[in-house]
Amino acid sequence: MSHTTSLGHQPPITLIANPYSVHVLRWLQLYEKAGITVRVESPERKQEGAPKGVTIEHLAPGWIPGPSFLRYRRAGKAARQRSRQPGEILHAHCTSGSGYTALLSRHPYIVTTYGSEVFGARERGRLYYWMIKRVLRGASLVTATTPKMASTLIEEFGVPEDRIRMFSLGYDSSVFTMVDDKERRQLRRERDLPSTERVWVINRRSLSLYRTIEVVSGFLQFCQDHADGHLVVLCGDDDPAYSKKLRDVIAASHHKSRVHMVGEFLPAEDVAQWLRTADFAISVPKTDQLSTSILEAMACGSIPVLSDLEAYQQLHDCEAIHIVSDYSVEGFTRMFEETWSTSTKELQRQRSQCAEFVTGRFSESSVLDHICDLYELNASEVSETREAA
């Protein structure tokens, strides 16, 4: 990754992370924009599609099953046996896997945690909750993206307030952009989507957390009384067993041809193309922080349909967003009916409003400042690095 001599004195920064994760790739993009050099130590197996320009060391043998408790323990032992440079910073990108590895390293570490790990920790059993609590309490700093996450870290897990750094990662504005109507129609033709019908996309992982089956079932019920409209499901890093149930639900419907499941893990550019085809992007998880995926959808002109979560309060100033509070199949059917009835002229206005909103509020320049503060890097030197890049 690129950096200039102005940051030549930066402390060594090592990520304990899955380098194939879309979340980690976002961090790597931001490091590069800031001129910050990092390396990765990963508990995960080696696979194709590793990010270029960054050193990656795999801590656990490939034969160990994973992701698993055993794999993270083995990786933690390897991380502990490594000799560290003076002032080296370890930053674990997730609490449950990489965070546990960082804890076992016995080296000071920062941890970035995600909503699904923290908000649902108790429901996943005593051992999981104990592990999350130990990792969070052992961290020198914890990053969060919403006030709700920060308050949960303090009140439920006992993380001191002065150890929490709260900021959003924004989105990659060089990839996620809106296109004109002509290009949008072309993108739909390439994906066998009708040019004039309403299109919804689910751009969250196919998991129970995101209520994917309930949303798809609501759409199939909507189809019984509406002859047009298509739903795209970007499964991403899914749960195979859950996706199998989802496919069975779709296969049993007479309207299965109107649901497009995209099973493979997509690079950011391909995700952006799907988002540009859509009128609405659905994100209705049970718990969440302010997800980058929602900002990406809005930047592409896809109007968000969101759970009624405190984490999404920052988006409520955008009048175009749709909030749902009935998460039953019938509730999602009504949501599809209501959004389907939006006029074409109003849709265009709302799509433009979404793109303008995120462009104005979630710029990358402020994100880079937060990252520099996290590692106590000199902001003026980093600014010079950005300008020289």
Side-chain angles (χ1 to χ4, degrees):
M1 300 181 74
S2 62
H3 74 291
T4 68
T5 54
S6 67
L7 282 178
H9 62 280
Q10 72 155 74
I13 299 173
T14 297
L15 313 184
I16 306 294
N18 176 1
Y20 313 101
S21 161
V22 65
H23 299 293
V24 175
L25 291 176
R26 174 61 179 156
W27 278 88
L28 292 175
Q29 291 170 348
L30 293 169
Y31 292 133
E32 187 167 21
K33 289 177 184 293
I36 297 173
T37 302
V38 301
R39 58 184 295 278
V40 176
E41 293 179 13
S42 177
E44 310 299 329
R45 283 194 186 89
K46 187 175 183 179
Q47 56 183 272
E48 297 294 325
K52 296 179 181 179
V54 59
T55 300
I56 301 172
E57 179 182 352
H58 293 270
L59 296 174
W63 53 265
I64 298 179
S68 70
F69 190 70
L70 178 61
R71 169 168 286 279
Y72 297 129
R73 286 194 64 178
R74 184 67 173 267
K77 182 179 179 180
R80 183 167 67 247
Q81 292 173 340
R82 284 191 56 84
S83 59
R84 300 285 174 189
Q85 298 182 52
E88 182 172 351
I89 297 170
L90 292 193
H91 185 168
H93 284 265
C94 88
T95 315
S96 56
S98 297
Y100 186 56
T101 296
L103 174 71
L104 296 177
S105 76
R106 298 180 184 172
H107 188 89
Y109 62 91
I110 298 168
V111 66
T112 287
T113 192
Y114 296 95
S116 56
E117 299 177 311
V118 170
F119 297 133
R122 287 190 184 276
E123 287 72 28
R124 297 180 68 170
R126 289 183 181 180
L127 178 61
Y128 184 88
Y129 181 79
W130 170 85
M131 178 183 65
I132 295 295
K133 195 167 189 175
R134 279 203 64 189
V135 171
L136 291 173
R137 285 189 172 184
S140 55
L141 293 173
V142 181
T143 74
T145 60
T146 63
K148 173 67 173 177
M149 171 60 78
S151 63
T152 302
L153 292 172
I154 295 167
E155 296 165 12
E156 186 169 345
F157 293 93
V159 179
E161 186 175 359
D162 61 1
R163 293 188 192 175
I164 298 172
R165 301 292 181 269
M166 189 177 72
F167 58 92
S168 166
L169 290 185
Y171 68 98
D172 189 347
S173 57
S174 66
V175 174
F176 295 92
T177 57
M178 194 171 172
V179 296
D180 61 29
D181 287 343
K182 181 179 179 181
E183 185 172 349
R184 190 160 174 262
R185 287 194 294 271
Q186 177 61 32
L187 288 172
R188 285 193 174 192
R189 282 194 294 270
E190 292 169 359
R191 288 156 180 76
D192 296 323
L193 294 171
S195 60
T196 58
E197 296 182 18
R198 298 288 174 265
V199 174
W200 297 263
V201 64
I202 303 174
N203 62 320
R204 306 302 299 268
R205 298 161 63 191
S206 181
L207 295 172
S208 173
L209 171 68
Y210 298 110
R211 300 183 169 103
T212 315
I213 289 177
E214 292 94 325
V215 174
V216 172
S217 298
F219 176 75
L220 294 171
Q221 194 164 295
F222 157 86
C223 290
Q224 294 176 14
D225 298 316
H226 300 80
D228 61 273
H230 286 252
L231 176 64
V232 177
V233 184
L234 305 182
C235 295
D237 186 15
D238 63 347
D239 175 350
Y242 186 81
S243 287
K244 170 65 167 56
K245 293 179 183 177
L246 176 61
R247 288 187 175 89
D248 290 344
V249 168
I250 296 169
S253 172
H254 295 300
H255 307 286
K256 56 180 176 285
S257 63
R258 291 167 63 180
V259 180
H260 304 254
M261 281 192 69
V262 183
E264 66 272 19
F265 187 83
L266 299 177
E269 292 78 5
D270 289 353
V271 172
Q273 295 290 56
W274 279 108
L275 290 172
R276 290 178 183 124
T277 69
D279 298 297
F280 300 94
I282 301 169
S283 177
V284 287
K286 299 170 184 176
T287 62
D288 203 8
Q289 296 197 70
L290 179 56
S291 173
T292 300
S293 63
I294 300 171
L295 306 181
E296 292 169 348
M298 294 177 74
C300 291
S302 189
I303 304 160
V305 176
L306 306 176
S307 300
D308 190 8
L309 296 178
E310 186 177 335
Y312 298 158
Q313 284 289 330
Q314 298 175 65
L315 302 178
H316 286 194
D317 289 342
C318 180
E319 296 176 358
I321 66 170
H322 294 256
I323 303 295
V324 297
S325 54
D326 183 348
Y327 307 115
S328 66
V329 171
E330 292 72 23
F332 287 124
T333 299
R334 285 193 294 274
M335 176 274 291
F336 282 110
E337 290 171 344
E338 290 167 5
T339 52
W340 174 84
S341 64
T342 309
S343 70
T344 301
K345 183 177 180 180
E346 179 62 14
L347 270 180
Q348 182 60 42
R349 188 189 71 81
Q350 292 184 7
R351 293 177 66 244
S352 298
Q353 187 181 42
C354 288
E356 292 168 4
F357 179 85
V358 294
T359 300
R361 299 227 184 170
F362 295 91
S363 67
E364 288 179 329
S365 59
S366 62
V367 177
L368 299 183
D369 289 338
H370 284 299
I371 291 175
C372 292
D373 289 343
L374 182 68
Y375 300 131
E376 297 184 348
L377 300 177
N378 188 295
S380 62
E381 290 178 345
V382 173
S383 178
E384 291 173 9
T385 301
R386 288 181 220 159
E387 292 171 3

